[in-house]
mmCIF file of all heavy atoms in Angstrom:
data_model
loop_
_atom_site.group_PDB
_atom_site.id
_atom_site.type_symbol
_atom_site.label_atom_id
_atom_site.label_comp_id
_atom_site.label_asym_id
_atom_site.label_seq_id
_atom_site.Cartn_x
_atom_site.Cartn_y
_atom_site.Cartn_z
ATOM 1 N N HIS A 213 36.044 86.146 100.867
ATOM 2 C CA HIS A 213 36.735 85.885 102.110
ATOM 3 C C HIS A 213 36.392 86.925 103.229
ATOM 4 O O HIS A 213 36.838 86.706 104.310
ATOM 5 C CB HIS A 213 38.273 86.070 101.856
ATOM 6 C CG HIS A 213 38.747 85.180 100.739
ATOM 7 N ND1 HIS A 213 38.771 83.805 100.782
ATOM 8 C CD2 HIS A 213 39.274 85.495 99.561
ATOM 9 C CE1 HIS A 213 39.252 83.293 99.697
ATOM 10 N NE2 HIS A 213 39.587 84.292 98.866
ATOM 11 N N GLU A 214 35.571 87.899 102.942
ATOM 12 C CA GLU A 214 35.117 88.959 103.835
ATOM 13 C C GLU A 214 36.266 89.880 104.233
ATOM 14 O O GLU A 214 36.240 90.538 105.288
ATOM 15 C CB GLU A 214 34.411 88.391 105.070
ATOM 16 C CG GLU A 214 33.124 87.695 104.736
ATOM 17 C CD GLU A 214 32.383 87.224 105.946
ATOM 18 O OE1 GLU A 214 32.889 87.363 107.111
ATOM 19 O OE2 GLU A 214 31.258 86.804 105.752
ATOM 20 N N PHE A 215 37.330 89.888 103.464
ATOM 21 C CA PHE A 215 38.430 90.820 103.584
ATOM 22 C C PHE A 215 39.171 90.936 102.298
ATOM 23 O O PHE A 215 39.086 89.982 101.459
ATOM 24 C CB PHE A 215 39.361 90.585 104.795
ATOM 25 C CG PHE A 215 40.289 89.379 104.534
ATOM 26 C CD1 PHE A 215 41.674 89.653 104.189
ATOM 27 C CD2 PHE A 215 39.908 88.086 104.553
ATOM 28 C CE1 PHE A 215 42.530 88.702 103.979
ATOM 29 C CE2 PHE A 215 40.844 87.075 104.309
ATOM 30 C CZ PHE A 215 42.172 87.375 104.056
ATOM 31 N N VAL A 216 40.009 91.944 102.156
ATOM 32 C CA VAL A 216 40.837 92.102 100.889
ATOM 33 C C VAL A 216 42.331 91.893 101.305
ATOM 34 O O VAL A 216 42.878 92.729 102.141
ATOM 35 C CB VAL A 216 40.622 93.494 100.285
ATOM 36 C CG1 VAL A 216 41.482 93.597 99.035
ATOM 37 C CG2 VAL A 216 39.181 93.676 99.909
ATOM 38 N N PRO A 217 42.974 90.905 100.837
ATOM 39 C CA PRO A 217 44.361 90.639 101.183
ATOM 40 C C PRO A 217 45.286 91.759 100.608
ATOM 41 O O PRO A 217 45.030 92.319 99.501
ATOM 42 C CB PRO A 217 44.735 89.276 100.556
ATOM 43 C CG PRO A 217 43.447 88.724 100.184
ATOM 44 C CD PRO A 217 42.472 89.811 99.973
ATOM 45 N N ALA A 218 46.297 92.090 101.375
ATOM 46 C CA ALA A 218 47.318 93.052 100.863
ATOM 47 C C ALA A 218 47.984 92.405 99.659
ATOM 48 O O ALA A 218 48.105 91.195 99.635
ATOM 49 C CB ALA A 218 48.359 93.295 101.969
ATOM 50 N N PRO A 219 48.434 93.199 98.672
ATOM 51 C CA PRO A 219 48.461 94.663 98.725
ATOM 52 C C PRO A 219 47.265 95.375 98.107
ATOM 53 O O PRO A 219 47.234 96.576 97.968
ATOM 54 C CB PRO A 219 49.710 94.954 97.779
ATOM 55 C CG PRO A 219 49.631 93.805 96.765
ATOM 56 C CD PRO A 219 49.116 92.604 97.481
ATOM 57 N N ARG A 220 46.204 94.660 97.709
ATOM 58 C CA ARG A 220 45.026 95.307 97.081
ATOM 59 C C ARG A 220 44.189 96.021 98.166
ATOM 60 O O ARG A 220 44.280 95.703 99.342
ATOM 61 C CB ARG A 220 44.168 94.284 96.412
ATOM 62 C CG ARG A 220 44.802 93.714 95.198
ATOM 63 C CD ARG A 220 43.750 92.747 94.483
ATOM 64 N NE ARG A 220 44.346 92.143 93.322
ATOM 65 C CZ ARG A 220 44.381 92.660 92.098
ATOM 66 N NH1 ARG A 220 43.814 93.814 91.851
ATOM 67 N NH2 ARG A 220 44.946 92.030 91.056
ATOM 68 N N THR A 221 43.369 96.968 97.762
ATOM 69 C CA THR A 221 42.288 97.503 98.521
ATOM 70 C C THR A 221 41.080 97.571 97.556
ATOM 71 O O THR A 221 41.177 97.121 96.401
ATOM 72 C CB THR A 221 42.606 98.913 98.988
ATOM 73 O OG1 THR A 221 42.554 99.879 97.959
ATOM 74 C CG2 THR A 221 43.943 98.998 99.674
ATOM 75 N N HIS A 222 39.988 98.112 98.086
ATOM 76 C CA HIS A 222 38.804 98.213 97.185
ATOM 77 C C HIS A 222 39.046 99.195 95.994
ATOM 78 O O HIS A 222 38.293 99.167 95.067
ATOM 79 C CB HIS A 222 37.545 98.732 97.994
ATOM 80 C CG HIS A 222 37.106 97.697 98.946
ATOM 81 N ND1 HIS A 222 37.460 97.688 100.298
ATOM 82 C CD2 HIS A 222 36.233 96.634 98.815
ATOM 83 C CE1 HIS A 222 36.872 96.609 100.908
ATOM 84 N NE2 HIS A 222 36.124 95.995 99.996
ATOM 85 N N HIS A 223 40.045 100.060 96.117
ATOM 86 C CA HIS A 223 40.276 101.067 95.124
ATOM 87 C C HIS A 223 41.586 100.833 94.422
ATOM 88 O O HIS A 223 42.630 100.690 95.130
ATOM 89 C CB HIS A 223 40.263 102.478 95.726
ATOM 90 C CG HIS A 223 38.962 102.734 96.502
ATOM 91 N ND1 HIS A 223 37.766 102.837 95.899
ATOM 92 C CD2 HIS A 223 38.782 102.904 97.910
ATOM 93 C CE1 HIS A 223 36.850 103.081 96.887
ATOM 94 N NE2 HIS A 223 37.456 103.119 98.036
ATOM 95 N N PRO A 224 41.665 100.789 93.092
ATOM 96 C CA PRO A 224 42.888 100.446 92.411
ATOM 97 C C PRO A 224 44.022 101.461 92.670
ATOM 98 O O PRO A 224 45.179 101.119 92.511
ATOM 99 C CB PRO A 224 42.463 100.405 90.919
ATOM 100 C CG PRO A 224 41.191 101.154 90.866
ATOM 101 C CD PRO A 224 40.436 100.980 92.145
ATOM 102 N N GLY A 225 43.693 102.731 93.004
ATOM 103 C CA GLY A 225 44.714 103.737 93.237
ATOM 104 C C GLY A 225 45.326 103.686 94.609
ATOM 105 O O GLY A 225 46.213 104.488 95.003
ATOM 106 N N ILE A 226 44.814 102.810 95.490
ATOM 107 C CA ILE A 226 45.304 102.737 96.866
ATOM 108 C C ILE A 226 45.719 101.349 97.208
ATOM 109 O O ILE A 226 45.033 100.391 96.798
ATOM 110 C CB ILE A 226 44.166 103.108 97.882
ATOM 111 C CG1 ILE A 226 43.641 104.583 97.557
ATOM 112 C CG2 ILE A 226 44.634 103.058 99.322
ATOM 113 C CD1 ILE A 226 42.521 105.058 98.457
ATOM 114 N N ARG A 227 46.895 101.184 97.811
ATOM 115 C CA ARG A 227 47.388 99.910 98.138
ATOM 116 C C ARG A 227 47.619 99.733 99.632
ATOM 117 O O ARG A 227 47.674 100.684 100.385
ATOM 118 C CB ARG A 227 48.789 99.675 97.458
ATOM 119 C CG ARG A 227 48.778 100.053 96.031
ATOM 120 C CD ARG A 227 47.908 99.129 95.145
ATOM 121 N NE ARG A 227 48.555 97.829 94.862
ATOM 122 C CZ ARG A 227 47.922 96.848 94.209
ATOM 123 N NH1 ARG A 227 46.665 97.017 93.839
ATOM 124 N NH2 ARG A 227 48.521 95.748 94.018
ATOM 125 N N GLN A 228 47.621 98.474 100.085
ATOM 126 C CA GLN A 228 48.086 98.193 101.460
ATOM 127 C C GLN A 228 49.511 97.801 101.401
ATOM 128 O O GLN A 228 49.953 97.010 100.571
ATOM 129 C CB GLN A 228 47.293 96.976 102.050
ATOM 130 C CG GLN A 228 45.779 97.178 102.157
ATOM 131 C CD GLN A 228 45.195 95.928 102.730
ATOM 132 O OE1 GLN A 228 45.432 95.538 103.941
ATOM 133 N NE2 GLN A 228 44.330 95.265 101.975
ATOM 134 N N LEU A 229 50.336 98.279 102.379
ATOM 135 C CA LEU A 229 51.697 97.766 102.539
ATOM 136 C C LEU A 229 51.685 96.347 103.065
ATOM 137 O O LEU A 229 50.956 96.079 104.079
ATOM 138 C CB LEU A 229 52.508 98.680 103.418
ATOM 139 C CG LEU A 229 53.987 98.357 103.548
ATOM 140 C CD1 LEU A 229 54.657 98.482 102.187
ATOM 141 C CD2 LEU A 229 54.679 99.276 104.575
ATOM 142 N N ASP A 230 52.363 95.431 102.365
ATOM 143 C CA ASP A 230 52.426 94.080 102.838
ATOM 144 C C ASP A 230 53.013 93.948 104.192
ATOM 145 O O ASP A 230 53.973 94.672 104.566
ATOM 146 C CB ASP A 230 53.198 93.199 101.869
ATOM 147 C CG ASP A 230 52.443 92.882 100.596
ATOM 148 O OD1 ASP A 230 51.399 92.134 100.754
ATOM 149 O OD2 ASP A 230 52.843 93.296 99.525
ATOM 150 N N PRO A 231 52.514 93.032 105.064
ATOM 151 C CA PRO A 231 53.217 92.796 106.387
ATOM 152 C C PRO A 231 54.639 92.535 106.178
ATOM 153 O O PRO A 231 55.095 91.805 105.285
ATOM 154 C CB PRO A 231 52.436 91.621 106.911
ATOM 155 C CG PRO A 231 51.093 91.706 106.283
ATOM 156 C CD PRO A 231 51.337 92.224 104.880
ATOM 157 N N GLY A 232 55.474 93.056 107.158
ATOM 158 C CA GLY A 232 56.892 92.738 107.161
ATOM 159 C C GLY A 232 57.726 93.438 106.018
ATOM 160 O O GLY A 232 58.864 93.059 105.801
ATOM 161 N N HIS A 233 57.102 94.411 105.401
ATOM 162 C CA HIS A 233 57.768 95.075 104.256
ATOM 163 C C HIS A 233 58.165 96.535 104.535
ATOM 164 O O HIS A 233 57.509 97.176 105.398
ATOM 165 C CB HIS A 233 56.869 95.123 103.026
ATOM 166 C CG HIS A 233 56.895 93.804 102.268
ATOM 167 N ND1 HIS A 233 56.428 92.581 102.711
ATOM 168 C CD2 HIS A 233 57.370 93.516 101.023
ATOM 169 C CE1 HIS A 233 56.624 91.658 101.883
ATOM 170 N NE2 HIS A 233 57.198 92.147 100.758
ATOM 171 N N LEU A 234 59.187 96.953 103.930
ATOM 172 C CA LEU A 234 59.581 98.345 103.884
ATOM 173 C C LEU A 234 59.491 98.953 102.538
ATOM 174 O O LEU A 234 59.964 98.293 101.554
ATOM 175 C CB LEU A 234 61.062 98.505 104.426
ATOM 176 C CG LEU A 234 61.628 99.925 104.491
ATOM 177 C CD1 LEU A 234 62.591 100.009 105.672
ATOM 178 C CD2 LEU A 234 62.356 100.228 103.204
ATOM 179 N N LEU A 235 58.835 100.064 102.395
ATOM 180 C CA LEU A 235 58.701 100.681 101.091
ATOM 181 C C LEU A 235 59.440 101.978 101.099
ATOM 182 O O LEU A 235 59.374 102.824 102.058
ATOM 183 C CB LEU A 235 57.226 100.973 100.799
ATOM 184 C CG LEU A 235 56.893 101.538 99.411
ATOM 185 C CD1 LEU A 235 55.515 101.017 98.985
ATOM 186 C CD2 LEU A 235 56.770 103.070 99.459
ATOM 187 N N LYS A 236 60.227 102.263 100.014
ATOM 188 C CA LYS A 236 60.952 103.464 99.859
ATOM 189 C C LYS A 236 60.566 104.212 98.647
ATOM 190 O O LYS A 236 60.471 103.620 97.614
ATOM 191 C CB LYS A 236 62.528 103.141 99.875
ATOM 192 C CG LYS A 236 63.423 104.393 99.823
ATOM 193 C CD LYS A 236 64.864 103.983 99.906
ATOM 194 C CE LYS A 236 65.745 105.270 99.987
ATOM 195 N NZ LYS A 236 67.231 104.860 100.109
ATOM 196 N N PHE A 237 60.277 105.533 98.844
ATOM 197 C CA PHE A 237 59.939 106.329 97.721
ATOM 198 C C PHE A 237 60.716 107.670 97.744
ATOM 199 O O PHE A 237 60.743 108.350 98.652
ATOM 200 C CB PHE A 237 58.403 106.691 97.766
ATOM 201 C CG PHE A 237 57.917 107.580 96.700
ATOM 202 C CD1 PHE A 237 57.817 107.189 95.365
ATOM 203 C CD2 PHE A 237 57.601 108.936 96.961
ATOM 204 C CE1 PHE A 237 57.402 107.988 94.375
ATOM 205 C CE2 PHE A 237 57.167 109.746 95.935
ATOM 206 C CZ PHE A 237 57.058 109.307 94.669
ATOM 207 N N ARG A 238 61.359 107.914 96.641
ATOM 208 C CA ARG A 238 62.071 109.224 96.367
ATOM 209 C C ARG A 238 61.436 109.854 95.133
ATOM 210 O O ARG A 238 61.266 109.200 94.134
ATOM 211 C CB ARG A 238 63.502 108.946 96.154
ATOM 212 C CG ARG A 238 64.418 110.231 96.267
ATOM 213 C CD ARG A 238 65.861 109.887 95.817
ATOM 214 N NE ARG A 238 66.390 108.798 96.493
ATOM 215 C CZ ARG A 238 67.203 108.916 97.566
ATOM 216 N NH1 ARG A 238 67.513 110.065 98.066
ATOM 217 N NH2 ARG A 238 67.748 107.774 98.104
ATOM 218 N N SER A 239 61.140 111.134 95.183
ATOM 219 C CA SER A 239 60.392 111.776 94.042
ATOM 220 C C SER A 239 61.119 111.546 92.781
ATOM 221 O O SER A 239 62.381 111.739 92.650
ATOM 222 C CB SER A 239 60.288 113.247 94.332
ATOM 223 O OG SER A 239 59.507 113.495 95.489
#
């Protein structure tokens, strides 16, 4: 497709945040 759809990236340890989403992280 000449692009990588969210949430994947070329690297398994890095993600794209999906459009229209909120992500919450607490340690």
